[in-house]
Structures are given as structure tokens and as C-alpha cells.
Amino acid sequence: DAGVIQSPRHEVTEMGQEVTLRCKPISGHDYLFWYRQTMMRGLELLIYFNNNVPIDDSGMPEDRFSAKMPNASFSTLKIQPSEPRDSAVYFCASSSPGSLGGISYNEQFFGPGTRLTVL
Amino acid sequence: AQSVTQLDSQVPVFEEAPVELRCNYSSSVSVYLFWYVQYPNQGLQLLLKYLSGSTLVKGINGFEAEFNKSQTSFHLRKPSVHISDTAEYFCAVIPSGGYQKVTFGTGTKLQVIP
């Protein structure tokens, strides 16, 4: 499997522009997560989906951020309008229930990230 | 709610020396514990995990961690580090019982000095 795929890897845009980040999860995984990583705030969970349905979006910073998962193999994170403080690395991760010693758990597999710079 | 504390933001260590990266957590319920590694310009990769059973957990690349329930700690250790271990290491917890939201620590940057 190719792992979690994210595009673009780097994005530079100007303040006020719309930005769309894309993610293709690992085939067969039924959970998808969007994270943001910054020096100041570390790794933050923005939103996660189960079977294409958003389950928890409490980490989405504000209405400028939106995420969709139209099907099991694709998700987008959109920022409109973008601001300089949105500059960060955005990670997508996917997982599927596993079992170890009779215990059910989910291991998250991370994509390489999209480095977003808003000027 | 859960929280994870990694007190050391950076740890320099000479090559072939041992290293310990500290992790303490807080939770009102039982948790599963993880260590992830992030190499430069890459995503996070799972190093090891504790779900139950033996409190000493072995992971990839010679790393191991010990779960100490009384001290609510899950420190990561390696007896002899290599240059290739230079990376950022994240401790993480998730409530047991099928929850999905992982709480990450702020990370510890391990710098291996030749």
C-alpha cells in the first residue's frame, strides 16, 4: 500500500486566498483525521471522520476552516479566506480497528503532511 | 480529559550513549499509551504502544518503554543511540475502550551528536 497520500506537499499563498488540502487515506481504513502542527501549539487534532461522516470537529479553529469526505478514498481541508496565522504543517492520518491480545485499538498512519505558508 | 507532559523539549546525546525521553500523563480513566517518531519533513510513525500486559514494551529500532501506573509515566529508552535516531519523539495517550481522539505531548527533539 502507498500509505496516506497528501497533496500538495508545499503550498504558498497570499492572505485572503482559498486553500484546499487533499488527502487519500489507506484503502480499507474507516477513520480519517486532520491535524495541524505548529511550533507554538504542537500537534492539534482539527477534525475526524468515521465512514465518511464527521464525528468531532471541535478542534476546527473557526468558520474559515471546513473539511469534507465525499467518499472513502478522499478528503479535503479548506481554508477560506486564509490568514498568515494559518501557516503550519497539516497532517492527514487514517486508521482502522485492529486487535492485539484481544484488545481492540486503532493505530493511526500519518501522511507526509502539507506545509502551508500564508504570506 | 487526558493530558500528556513531555518536560524535555530538546535532548542532546552523544552517539552510542543511552537516552531516556520522559513522558508523564494524566487521565481519570485507563489509557493506551504510544510513542511516535517524526523524522524531518515526514509524518509521524508509530514506535511502540502499550495496551495491557507486560509493562515493558519493545518497539522498532531498538527502542523500549516502560509503563508505570503509579507514577503515570511512560518513558522511552534506548541503550545506544545512532545518528539516524535524530528526530522528534511524541508521547500520546488515548482512553481505552474504543475512543479515537489521541492526545499528543508537545514532543522532544532528540539530537544525536557524532
Side-chain angles (χ1 to χ4, degrees):
Chain A
D1 198 312
V4 177
I5 299 172
Q6 291 187 249
S7 65
R9 292 293 310 276
H10 301 273
E11 176 81 27
V12 180
T13 190
E14 294 188 345
M15 182 174 60
Q17 297 298 304
E18 177 180 296
V19 175
T20 300
L21 311 181
R22 297 172 176 80
C23 175
K24 176 178 169 57
I26 292 173
S27 177
H29 283 190
D30 49 6
Y31 285 90
L32 184 139
F33 305 80
W34 281 102
Y35 290 90
R36 178 173 67 176
Q37 186 179 36
T38 62
M39 289 290 291
M40 292 297 296
R41 301 174 68 91
L43 199 60
E44 305 172 275
L45 176 64
L46 300 178
I47 184 171
Y48 77 91
F49 297 81
N50 179 217
N51 292 323
N52 313 339
V53 176
I55 302 300
D56 186 340
D57 65 354
S58 59
M60 296 285 261
E62 48 197 277
D63 292 345
R64 298 184 297 105
F65 286 69
S66 62
K68 294 181 180 179
M69 191 166 186
N71 57 62
S73 59
F74 184 66
S75 177
T76 60
L77 178 67
K78 186 176 293 186
I79 308 173
Q80 166 62 20
S82 58
E83 296 182 4
R85 60 194 169 114
D86 301 330
S87 297
V89 180
Y90 291 82
F91 289 103
C92 176
S94 69
S95 73
S96 187
S99 181
L100 183 68
I103 296 174
S104 177
Y105 74 101
N106 281 39
E107 177 181 340
Q108 294 186 17
F109 292 82
F110 282 75
T114 296
R115 183 174 296 276
L116 173 65
T117 302
V118 183
L119 304 175
Chain B
Q2 291 70 44
S3 67
V4 178
T5 302
Q6 293 181 248
L7 289 174
D8 304 310
S9 59
Q10 295 189 52
V11 173
V13 63
F14 285 104
E15 194 174 14
E16 298 184 7
V19 69
E20 178 180 84
L21 306 183
R22 297 181 294 167
C23 172
N24 289 86
Y25 70 93
S26 173
S27 177
S28 57
V29 299
S30 59
V31 296
Y32 300 147
L33 296 146
F34 305 83
W35 275 99
Y36 284 85
V37 59
Q38 183 179 28
Y39 297 105
N41 300 315
Q42 294 186 28
L44 278 69
Q45 302 173 36
L46 184 67
L47 259 184
L48 49 79
K49 57 183 176 286
Y50 172 80
L51 304 182
S52 72
S54 172
T55 57
L56 183 63
V57 180
K58 294 189 184 298
I60 61 172
N61 300 338
F63 283 92
E64 63 181 32
E66 186 157 18
F67 170 57
N68 188 317
K69 188 174 181 180
S70 62
Q71 297 186 3
T72 60
S73 68
F74 191 53
H75 301 332
L76 181 70
R77 303 187 184 100
K78 186 170 183 178
S80 176
V81 296
H82 302 284
I83 294 291
S84 59
D85 294 324
T86 295
E88 190 159 18
Y89 293 79
F90 292 88
C91 183
V93 301
I94 188 170
S96 60
Y99 291 92
Q100 300 302 322
K101 290 183 70 170
V102 179
T103 301
F104 286 91
T106 50
T108 297
K109 291 184 178 177
L110 175 63
Q111 179 66 47
V112 180
I113 304 165

